[in-house]
Amino acid sequence: MQFKDFLNSFLRYSPIIGAFILFIFSLFFQPTHDWDLDSFLYLGSRLQDGRFIYVDDFETKLPFLQYLFSIPAYLGGIGAWRIISFMTALSLGFFTTHLLIKDLAYESNFTTVKNRQLSIFITGLFLLFLYSLPGADSAHIEIFSSSFLYLAFVLLLIRHLEIAQSKKYIFYAGVFLAIAALVRPNYVYLFPLFAILTFVKDRQIRLQPFKLSFTLSFLAGFFIAIFLNFLPYAFIDHGLIALMNGLDAMKNASHNYGLMHLLSEEFLHKPGIFYILMYLAIGLLLVNALTHAKYKKTIFHYALPIFFAVLLLNLSLIRNHYYPHNTIMFVPMACIGLSLFFVFTFKNHLFKVNSFHIIIFILTIFVMMRPLADIRKNMLSVANGKYDFNAKINHRNIDNVLLTFLQDQKYQGKSFLVTDSAIYHMKLNEPRIGDGHPIMLEIVLGGGRLVSMENIYLFSEEVAKEPCKALNQSNKDFVIVKRDDQFYGLVDQCLIKDTSSYRKENIAHLEAFAVYRLKKL
């Protein structure tokens, strides 16, 4: 089947259908998700009580993430977030792809029908990439942030549509980049690239040497959004000091990852086929551009920015850390590259046939390996009884017996700390001890000092010298940890000492958990 025939058939909807199936499985069948999301939901619930990140809790994220997750926390939890992130990706993905393909059509002999058909196909690929890469089953924050990055990038790249000449939409591009960076800070590394793109757009459209209306619009949009993100701290007692301490702690929490380590993680593990597809598509675009003088300028206009964007994102990962779910951050660049490749394929076979076949072959392998493998795995899990349909979409990562126990204790006015999980704290509106993410507590109990923040006792000098004080001075009526959790030993060695403020108890039906009760004087 020729690619034109594929676009003319209903098969063009297959990527969207595949992405939707994966989303439905995650929403109604997936029993667990990454504990990062529980921590974000907990921080969001804290905002409802007027508690701000850096002031009362610490996590290596920016305040906007807390503002954002206050919505799904209010709506019940992870299920609400999954729906929000999917609808964001679907709506922004379709709108952005439509703009991109329509703009590229000016450079090609595309008809309106082909334009619409390819838009549907690329939108499907965008969603399929998002929902078949690691972290998708947890609706990781990269899905939300990359959707806004995709739109911001395309608004700056398009040249022929009416909105490309609008200062209002360039302003929005700055706002959307800021939103993407405030959710996933790695995207702030793209700010210089985007600023250069707006400056070039000014030079192309406005010939006056000092007329920088697009650049100023973009900068205004970006910095206004950043300013509004931090503004609430100006109205909190000592809020600005806590904010500066928090940002400084975030900077100190970063560490170098290493180039070879990063490349081995990208290419030799689960997302490897996606990276091969993305790098090969961008490489073939640049190589083919050199052999077609007529379209060289146009191809370079789109391909060079995404090439440098990929380099800058890799730089951000080298300077911080890499987890498999970070792969999702590259999806906008991959989709822009594939859109360019497919549109110009129809222009008198602009690219060599071998180049086109190579991309189609690798894309087919990806679609066959990743989404279909995940769909097959999910169906087998349902058939084996490992996954069950659960209409309570917000009820995940929760042990019902423990939840019932905690509800009873909460009703009696008792406090608790589930050291390895934040979801119970979100559900029952119970504050933790300053660790916005349980990993922070693990680091402290292990003798590490990720950050220093005197306004939060957990990260004070006193606790740094005697880590067990973090638990013993918490005055929580119950401290609970799962026995098979990664830092059960750290909790246990602090609380079984004779000098400890706690005693270990056996609670009926909670054999999977170690429960420590505060000693009464």
Side-chain angles (χ1 to χ4, degrees):
M1 177 185 288
Q2 297 293 319
F3 187 66
K4 291 182 180 180
D5 297 329
F6 174 86
L7 287 182
N8 287 324
S9 71
F10 284 102
L11 289 175
R12 66 180 179 272
Y13 294 103
S14 56
I16 290 182
I17 294 172
F20 185 72
I21 291 173
L22 291 172
F23 163 68
I24 291 297
F25 265 111
S26 71
L27 185 64
F28 290 109
F29 292 91
Q30 188 74 25
T32 61
H33 53 269
D34 194 314
W35 67 342
D36 288 352
L37 279 301
D38 287 340
S39 300
F40 302 154
L41 289 165
Y42 164 70
L43 289 172
S45 69
R46 293 280 280 161
L47 193 63
Q48 298 169 21
D49 296 325
R51 304 294 182 177
F52 284 78
I53 190 172
Y54 308 152
V55 177
D56 303 285
D57 305 278
F58 178 73
E59 161 66 314
T60 54
K61 295 293 183 286
L62 293 169
F64 182 76
L65 189 78
Q66 185 182 27
Y67 310 153
L68 175 63
F69 270 84
S70 66
I71 301 171
Y74 178 77
L75 296 175
I78 186 64
W81 170 247
R82 282 184 169 131
I83 293 173
I84 290 170
S85 56
F86 180 79
M87 295 307 298
T88 299
L90 176 63
S91 56
L92 295 186
F94 183 79
F95 176 70
T96 304
T97 303
H98 174 72
L99 291 179
L100 178 61
I101 299 301
K102 191 174 181 181
D103 188 68
L104 288 172
Y106 279 80
E107 308 286 349
S108 177
N109 60 353
F110 248 28
T111 63
T112 303
V113 175
K114 290 179 182 176
N115 181 357
R116 184 171 64 252
Q117 292 168 341
L118 187 58
S119 293
I120 293 171
F121 176 67
I122 296 295
T123 301
L125 282 184
F126 176 72
L127 292 172
L128 194 61
F129 286 150
L130 293 181
Y131 280 89
S132 58
L133 289 171
D137 54 358
S138 297
H140 240 292
I141 56 176
E142 282 86 351
I143 292 177
F144 185 90
S145 60
S146 62
S147 300
F148 278 92
L149 190 281
Y150 186 31
L151 178 54
F153 213 156
V154 168
L155 285 175
L156 296 183
L157 286 177
I158 57 177
R159 302 189 292 176
H160 305 289
L161 305 183
E162 184 177 346
I163 66 172
Q165 322 300 326
S166 169
K167 290 186 291 184
K168 179 175 70 173
Y169 284 96
I170 301 300
F171 175 87
Y172 290 157
V175 173
F176 297 148
L177 173 62
I179 291 174
L182 289 169
V183 174
R184 187 74 260 178
N186 302 74
Y187 279 140
V188 79
Y189 280 71
L190 301 189
F191 173 75
L193 173 64
F194 281 36
I196 291 172
L197 290 177
T198 54
F199 180 79
V200 170
K201 187 184 283 283
D202 264 319
R203 300 278 57 76
Q204 290 174 340
I205 297 176
R206 304 176 186 279
L207 300 179
Q208 299 93 326
F210 301 106
K211 192 77 170 180
L212 301 174
S213 57
F214 284 159
T215 306
L216 293 177
S217 295
F218 170 77
L219 295 176
F222 181 82
F223 286 111
I224 287 174
I226 298 295
F227 173 76
L228 292 176
N229 171 68
F230 298 130
L231 182 61
Y233 287 83
F235 303 98
I236 304 172
D237 288 341
H238 308 296
L240 292 178
I241 295 175
L243 173 63
M244 297 308 297
N245 289 338
L247 295 177
D248 186 60
M250 274 191 65
K251 181 188 68 176
N252 294 333
S254 300
H255 55 275
N256 293 328
Y257 197 74
L259 176 60
M260 296 310 297
H261 193 188
L262 175 64
L263 293 178
S264 66
E265 289 292 326
E266 287 185 348
F267 288 101
L268 301 181
H269 291 79
K270 216 172 183 181
I273 188 66
F274 170 80
Y275 285 108
I276 292 172
L277 174 64
M278 179 182 67
Y279 286 118
L280 192 59
I282 295 173
L284 288 174
L285 282 169
L286 295 175
V287 170
N288 278 282
L290 296 175
T291 62
H292 295 87
K294 183 178 179 182
Y295 298 103
K296 180 187 298 186
K297 185 176 180 181
T298 299
I299 296 176
F300 277 149
H301 171 80
Y302 294 95
L304 280 178
I306 62 174
F307 171 74
F308 285 114
V310 169
L311 292 183
L312 290 170
L313 269 186
N314 278 317
L315 177 62
S316 77
L317 295 172
I318 290 172
R319 295 194 61 183
N320 294 279
H321 58 254
Y322 172 82
Y323 294 108
H325 57 77
N326 296 146
T327 306
I328 296 174
M329 293 191 297
F330 292 90
V331 169
M333 281 64 76
C335 287
I336 293 172
L338 288 173
S339 298
L340 182 61
F341 195 90
F342 286 133
V343 166
F344 279 90
T345 294
F346 291 93
K347 183 62 177 177
N348 300 322
H349 302 290
L350 180 62
F351 297 129
K352 295 178 180 179
V353 174
N354 288 339
S355 300
F356 178 71
H357 287 168
I358 289 171
I359 293 296
I360 291 295
F361 176 70
I362 297 178
L363 183 60
T364 302
I365 291 176
F366 177 89
V367 171
M368 295 297 290
M369 285 181 60
R370 294 293 306 139
L372 291 184
D374 286 342
I375 291 172
R376 176 180 175 275
K377 180 191 72 174
N378 290 332
M379 287 183 172
L380 288 176
S381 296
V382 172
N384 295 333
K386 184 179 177 182
Y387 289 3
D388 293 317
F389 177 83
N390 189 347
K392 297 180 179 179
I393 59 175
N394 290 314
H395 197 80
R396 300 291 190 272
N397 277 5
I398 294 173
D399 183 286
N400 291 321
V401 177
L402 177 59
L403 180 62
T404 300
F405 172 78
L406 294 175
Q407 285 173 330
D408 291 341
Q409 299 304 319
K410 187 77 173 175
Y411 181 75
Q412 297 173 36
K414 303 292 181 63
S415 61
F416 66 85
L417 171 67
V418 181
T419 58
D420 55 310
S421 176
I423 190 63
Y424 301 98
H425 294 263
M426 188 277 284
K427 288 288 186 182
L428 301 178
N429 195 31
E430 174 68 25
R432 293 179 65 81
I433 58 174
D435 54 327
H437 193 300
I439 195 66
M440 303 294 170
L441 178 58
E442 179 185 3
I443 292 171
V444 170
L445 295 180
R449 193 167 194 199
L450 184 66
V451 298
S452 175
M453 299 180 73
E454 292 301 323
N455 59 303
I456 300 177
Y457 181 68
L458 180 64
F459 305 108
S460 65
E461 287 284 349
E462 183 179 350
V463 171
K465 293 175 182 177
E466 298 181 61
C468 287
K469 281 190 172 182
L471 297 177
N472 284 306
Q473 299 295 323
S474 68
N475 289 320
K476 292 290 186 180
D477 291 295
F478 290 92
V479 174
I480 301 169
V481 61
K482 203 168 185 179
R483 293 183 185 274
D484 62 356
D485 189 78
Q486 58 194 26
F487 62 105
Y488 161 63
L490 296 173
V491 175
D492 194 62
Q493 71 181 10
C494 283
L495 301 185
I496 61 172
K497 298 176 181 177
D498 293 336
T499 56
S500 168
S501 303
Y502 290 84
R503 66 174 184 270
K504 200 171 186 177
E505 290 192 350
N506 293 318
I507 305 294
H509 309 300
L510 288 179
E511 293 80 7
F513 299 89
V515 180
Y516 307 85
R517 185 191 293 264
L518 184 67
K519 297 175 183 177
K520 298 298 183 182
L521 298 177

PDB file of all heavy atoms in Angstrom, residues 454-475:
ATOM      1  N   GLU A 454      16.095  26.001  56.639  1.00  0.00           N
ATOM      2  CA  GLU A 454      15.827  26.114  58.067  1.00  0.00           C
ATOM      3  C   GLU A 454      14.354  26.327  58.375  1.00  0.00           C
ATOM      4  O   GLU A 454      13.910  26.076  59.501  1.00  0.00           O
ATOM      5  CB  GLU A 454      16.665  27.254  58.669  1.00  0.00           C
ATOM      6  CG  GLU A 454      18.157  26.966  58.694  1.00  0.00           C
ATOM      7  CD  GLU A 454      18.509  25.714  59.500  1.00  0.00           C
ATOM      8  OE1 GLU A 454      17.867  25.469  60.542  1.00  0.00           O
ATOM      9  OE2 GLU A 454      19.417  24.978  59.069  1.00  0.00           O
ATOM     10  N   ASN A 455      13.566  26.795  57.398  1.00  0.00           N
ATOM     11  CA  ASN A 455      12.144  27.013  57.656  1.00  0.00           C
ATOM     12  C   ASN A 455      11.343  25.711  57.659  1.00  0.00           C
ATOM     13  O   ASN A 455      10.188  25.686  58.059  1.00  0.00           O
ATOM     14  CB  ASN A 455      11.545  27.981  56.634  1.00  0.00           C
ATOM     15  CG  ASN A 455      11.685  27.483  55.206  1.00  0.00           C
ATOM     16  OD1 ASN A 455      12.793  27.211  54.756  1.00  0.00           O
ATOM     17  ND2 ASN A 455      10.577  27.345  54.505  1.00  0.00           N
ATOM     18  N   ILE A 456      11.964  24.607  57.224  1.00  0.00           N
ATOM     19  CA  ILE A 456      11.322  23.291  57.265  1.00  0.00           C
ATOM     20  C   ILE A 456      12.210  22.385  58.113  1.00  0.00           C
ATOM     21  O   ILE A 456      13.362  22.126  57.758  1.00  0.00           O
ATOM     22  CB  ILE A 456      11.130  22.702  55.854  1.00  0.00           C
ATOM     23  CG1 ILE A 456      10.246  23.628  55.005  1.00  0.00           C
ATOM     24  CG2 ILE A 456      10.491  21.314  55.927  1.00  0.00           C
ATOM     25  CD1 ILE A 456      10.061  23.177  53.573  1.00  0.00           C
ATOM     26  N   TYR A 457      11.673  21.904  59.246  1.00  0.00           N
ATOM     27  CA  TYR A 457      12.484  21.183  60.227  1.00  0.00           C
ATOM     28  C   TYR A 457      13.198  19.977  59.611  1.00  0.00           C
ATOM     29  O   TYR A 457      14.347  19.671  59.957  1.00  0.00           O
ATOM     30  CB  TYR A 457      11.605  20.732  61.389  1.00  0.00           C
ATOM     31  CG  TYR A 457      12.356  20.005  62.470  1.00  0.00           C
ATOM     32  CD1 TYR A 457      13.300  20.674  63.271  1.00  0.00           C
ATOM     33  CD2 TYR A 457      12.146  18.637  62.703  1.00  0.00           C
ATOM     34  CE1 TYR A 457      14.000  20.005  64.270  1.00  0.00           C
ATOM     35  CE2 TYR A 457      12.845  17.965  63.694  1.00  0.00           C
ATOM     36  CZ  TYR A 457      13.770  18.651  64.469  1.00  0.00           C
ATOM     37  OH  TYR A 457      14.476  17.992  65.451  1.00  0.00           O
ATOM     38  N   LEU A 458      12.545  19.281  58.692  1.00  0.00           N
ATOM     39  CA  LEU A 458      13.125  18.093  58.071  1.00  0.00           C
ATOM     40  C   LEU A 458      14.473  18.378  57.420  1.00  0.00           C
ATOM     41  O   LEU A 458      15.347  17.504  57.365  1.00  0.00           O
ATOM     42  CB  LEU A 458      12.145  17.519  57.042  1.00  0.00           C
ATOM     43  CG  LEU A 458      12.593  16.262  56.288  1.00  0.00           C
ATOM     44  CD1 LEU A 458      12.760  15.081  57.240  1.00  0.00           C
ATOM     45  CD2 LEU A 458      11.594  15.920  55.184  1.00  0.00           C
ATOM     46  N   PHE A 459      14.651  19.605  56.934  1.00  0.00           N
ATOM     47  CA  PHE A 459      15.872  19.958  56.207  1.00  0.00           C
ATOM     48  C   PHE A 459      16.757  20.913  57.011  1.00  0.00           C
ATOM     49  O   PHE A 459      17.568  21.636  56.435  1.00  0.00           O
ATOM     50  CB  PHE A 459      15.504  20.589  54.862  1.00  0.00           C
ATOM     51  CG  PHE A 459      14.592  19.720  54.031  1.00  0.00           C
ATOM     52  CD1 PHE A 459      13.260  20.053  53.854  1.00  0.00           C
ATOM     53  CD2 PHE A 459      15.073  18.561  53.455  1.00  0.00           C
ATOM     54  CE1 PHE A 459      12.419  19.247  53.109  1.00  0.00           C
ATOM     55  CE2 PHE A 459      14.228  17.746  52.706  1.00  0.00           C
ATOM     56  CZ  PHE A 459      12.906  18.085  52.532  1.00  0.00           C
ATOM     57  N   SER A 460      16.610  20.892  58.338  1.00  0.00           N
ATOM     58  CA  SER A 460      17.372  21.786  59.204  1.00  0.00           C
ATOM     59  C   SER A 460      18.725  21.174  59.566  1.00  0.00           C
ATOM     60  O   SER A 460      18.981  19.980  59.348  1.00  0.00           O
ATOM     61  CB  SER A 460      16.587  22.079  60.477  1.00  0.00           C
ATOM     62  OG  SER A 460      16.425  20.879  61.238  1.00  0.00           O
ATOM     63  N   GLU A 461      19.584  21.997  60.163  1.00  0.00           N
ATOM     64  CA  GLU A 461      20.897  21.537  60.617  1.00  0.00           C
ATOM     65  C   GLU A 461      20.753  20.462  61.696  1.00  0.00           C
ATOM     66  O   GLU A 461      21.526  19.500  61.742  1.00  0.00           O
ATOM     67  CB  GLU A 461      21.699  22.724  61.177  1.00  0.00           C
ATOM     68  CG  GLU A 461      22.208  23.694  60.124  1.00  0.00           C
ATOM     69  CD  GLU A 461      23.405  23.147  59.371  1.00  0.00           C
ATOM     70  OE1 GLU A 461      23.958  22.111  59.810  1.00  0.00           O
ATOM     71  OE2 GLU A 461      23.780  23.735  58.344  1.00  0.00           O
ATOM     72  N   GLU A 462      19.771  20.628  62.581  1.00  0.00           N
ATOM     73  CA  GLU A 462      19.570  19.677  63.667  1.00  0.00           C
ATOM     74  C   GLU A 462      19.286  18.275  63.140  1.00  0.00           C
ATOM     75  O   GLU A 462      19.862  17.285  63.619  1.00  0.00           O
ATOM     76  CB  GLU A 462      18.421  20.160  64.558  1.00  0.00           C
ATOM     77  CG  GLU A 462      18.179  19.275  65.776  1.00  0.00           C
ATOM     78  CD  GLU A 462      17.048  19.794  66.657  1.00  0.00           C
ATOM     79  OE1 GLU A 462      16.582  20.938  66.422  1.00  0.00           O
ATOM     80  OE2 GLU A 462      16.635  19.059  67.566  1.00  0.00           O
ATOM     81  N   VAL A 463      18.408  18.181  62.141  1.00  0.00           N
ATOM     82  CA  VAL A 463      18.074  16.877  61.564  1.00  0.00           C
ATOM     83  C   VAL A 463      19.243  16.341  60.742  1.00  0.00           C
ATOM     84  O   VAL A 463      19.473  15.119  60.703  1.00  0.00           O
ATOM     85  CB  VAL A 463      16.787  16.970  60.720  1.00  0.00           C
ATOM     86  CG1 VAL A 463      16.552  15.686  59.934  1.00  0.00           C
ATOM     87  CG2 VAL A 463      15.593  17.275  61.609  1.00  0.00           C
ATOM     88  N   ALA A 464      19.986  17.228  60.095  1.00  0.00           N
ATOM     89  CA  ALA A 464      21.144  16.779  59.318  1.00  0.00           C
ATOM     90  C   ALA A 464      22.154  16.070  60.210  1.00  0.00           C
ATOM     91  O   ALA A 464      22.804  15.100  59.796  1.00  0.00           O
ATOM     92  CB  ALA A 464      21.791  17.968  58.620  1.00  0.00           C
ATOM     93  N   LYS A 465      22.277  16.520  61.480  1.00  0.00           N
ATOM     94  CA  LYS A 465      23.221  15.901  62.422  1.00  0.00           C
ATOM     95  C   LYS A 465      22.661  14.608  63.004  1.00  0.00           C
ATOM     96  O   LYS A 465      23.390  13.650  63.235  1.00  0.00           O
ATOM     97  CB  LYS A 465      23.538  16.883  63.547  1.00  0.00           C
ATOM     98  CG  LYS A 465      24.310  18.114  63.089  1.00  0.00           C
ATOM     99  CD  LYS A 465      24.495  19.113  64.236  1.00  0.00           C
ATOM    100  CE  LYS A 465      25.227  20.360  63.760  1.00  0.00           C
ATOM    101  NZ  LYS A 465      25.336  21.371  64.850  1.00  0.00           N
ATOM    102  N   GLU A 466      21.342  14.588  63.248  1.00  0.00           N
ATOM    103  CA  GLU A 466      20.688  13.404  63.809  1.00  0.00           C
ATOM    104  C   GLU A 466      19.428  13.111  62.992  1.00  0.00           C
ATOM    105  O   GLU A 466      18.327  13.539  63.356  1.00  0.00           O
ATOM    106  CB  GLU A 466      20.333  13.624  65.266  1.00  0.00           C
ATOM    107  CG  GLU A 466      21.533  13.870  66.174  1.00  0.00           C
ATOM    108  CD  GLU A 466      21.109  14.064  67.616  1.00  0.00           C
ATOM    109  OE1 GLU A 466      20.511  13.121  68.191  1.00  0.00           O
ATOM    110  OE2 GLU A 466      21.350  15.158  68.158  1.00  0.00           O
ATOM    111  N   PRO A 467      19.551  12.389  61.885  1.00  0.00           N
ATOM    112  CA  PRO A 467      18.422  12.177  60.964  1.00  0.00           C
ATOM    113  C   PRO A 467      17.184  11.569  61.612  1.00  0.00           C
ATOM    114  O   PRO A 467      16.057  11.886  61.211  1.00  0.00           O
ATOM    115  CB  PRO A 467      19.011  11.239  59.907  1.00  0.00           C
ATOM    116  CG  PRO A 467      20.478  11.520  59.926  1.00  0.00           C
ATOM    117  CD  PRO A 467      20.798  11.804  61.359  1.00  0.00           C
ATOM    118  N   CYS A 468      17.361  10.714  62.613  1.00  0.00           N
ATOM    119  CA  CYS A 468      16.196  10.059  63.215  1.00  0.00           C
ATOM    120  C   CYS A 468      15.267  11.046  63.916  1.00  0.00           C
ATOM    121  O   CYS A 468      14.096  10.732  64.187  1.00  0.00           O
ATOM    122  CB  CYS A 468      16.647   8.984  64.198  1.00  0.00           C
ATOM    123  SG  CYS A 468      17.319   7.505  63.368  1.00  0.00           S
ATOM    124  N   LYS A 469      15.767  12.230  64.221  1.00  0.00           N
ATOM    125  CA  LYS A 469      14.906  13.241  64.837  1.00  0.00           C
ATOM    126  C   LYS A 469      13.759  13.647  63.908  1.00  0.00           C
ATOM    127  O   LYS A 469      12.726  14.133  64.372  1.00  0.00           O
ATOM    128  CB  LYS A 469      15.728  14.474  65.209  1.00  0.00           C
ATOM    129  CG  LYS A 469      16.524  14.330  66.499  1.00  0.00           C
ATOM    130  CD  LYS A 469      17.120  15.667  66.924  1.00  0.00           C
ATOM    131  CE  LYS A 469      17.760  15.569  68.302  1.00  0.00           C
ATOM    132  NZ  LYS A 469      18.302  16.869  68.766  1.00  0.00           N
ATOM    133  N   ALA A 470      13.945  13.464  62.615  1.00  0.00           N
ATOM    134  CA  ALA A 470      12.877  13.793  61.661  1.00  0.00           C
ATOM    135  C   ALA A 470      11.609  13.044  61.995  1.00  0.00           C
ATOM    136  O   ALA A 470      10.496  13.585  61.884  1.00  0.00           O
ATOM    137  CB  ALA A 470      13.331  13.464  60.246  1.00  0.00           C
ATOM    138  N   LEU A 471      11.744  11.773  62.441  1.00  0.00           N
ATOM    139  CA  LEU A 471      10.581  10.978  62.819  1.00  0.00           C
ATOM    140  C   LEU A 471      10.241  11.141  64.292  1.00  0.00           C
ATOM    141  O   LEU A 471       9.076  11.332  64.655  1.00  0.00           O
ATOM    142  CB  LEU A 471      10.840   9.499  62.503  1.00  0.00           C
ATOM    143  CG  LEU A 471      11.060   9.157  61.022  1.00  0.00           C
ATOM    144  CD1 LEU A 471      11.381   7.674  60.872  1.00  0.00           C
ATOM    145  CD2 LEU A 471       9.847   9.514  60.176  1.00  0.00           C
ATOM    146  N   ASN A 472      11.244  11.085  65.148  1.00  0.00           N
ATOM    147  CA  ASN A 472      10.992  11.099  66.584  1.00  0.00           C
ATOM    148  C   ASN A 472      10.440  12.429  67.084  1.00  0.00           C
ATOM    149  O   ASN A 472       9.735  12.471  68.098  1.00  0.00           O
ATOM    150  CB  ASN A 472      12.274  10.738  67.346  1.00  0.00           C
ATOM    151  CG  ASN A 472      12.562   9.255  67.289  1.00  0.00           C
ATOM    152  OD1 ASN A 472      11.720   8.440  67.638  1.00  0.00           O
ATOM    153  ND2 ASN A 472      13.744   8.890  66.826  1.00  0.00           N
ATOM    154  N   GLN A 473      10.762  13.513  66.380  1.00  0.00           N
ATOM    155  CA  GLN A 473      10.256  14.824  66.774  1.00  0.00           C
ATOM    156  C   GLN A 473       9.016  15.233  65.985  1.00  0.00           C
ATOM    157  O   GLN A 473       8.538  16.355  66.108  1.00  0.00           O
ATOM    158  CB  GLN A 473      11.355  15.882  66.572  1.00  0.00           C
ATOM    159  CG  GLN A 473      12.610  15.646  67.397  1.00  0.00           C
ATOM    160  CD  GLN A 473      12.355  15.746  68.888  1.00  0.00           C
ATOM    161  OE1 GLN A 473      11.565  16.574  69.339  1.00  0.00           O
ATOM    162  NE2 GLN A 473      13.019  14.900  69.658  1.00  0.00           N
ATOM    163  N   SER A 474       8.501  14.321  65.150  1.00  0.00           N
ATOM    164  CA  SER A 474       7.350  14.670  64.310  1.00  0.00           C
ATOM    165  C   SER A 474       6.046  14.713  65.093  1.00  0.00           C
ATOM    166  O   SER A 474       5.089  15.374  64.695  1.00  0.00           O
ATOM    167  CB  SER A 474       7.208  13.645  63.176  1.00  0.00           C
ATOM    168  OG  SER A 474       6.830  12.374  63.693  1.00  0.00           O
ATOM    169  N   ASN A 475       6.001  13.978  66.230  1.00  0.00           N
ATOM    170  CA  ASN A 475       4.791  13.905  67.070  1.00  0.00           C
ATOM    171  C   ASN A 475       3.586  13.327  66.344  1.00  0.00           C
ATOM    172  O   ASN A 475       2.437  13.572  66.736  1.00  0.00           O
ATOM    173  CB  ASN A 475       4.429  15.275  67.655  1.00  0.00           C
ATOM    174  CG  ASN A 475       5.415  15.707  68.726  1.00  0.00           C
ATOM    175  OD1 ASN A 475       5.851  14.894  69.538  1.00  0.00           O
ATOM    176  ND2 ASN A 475       5.778  16.983  68.710  1.00  0.00           N
TER     177      ASN A 475
END
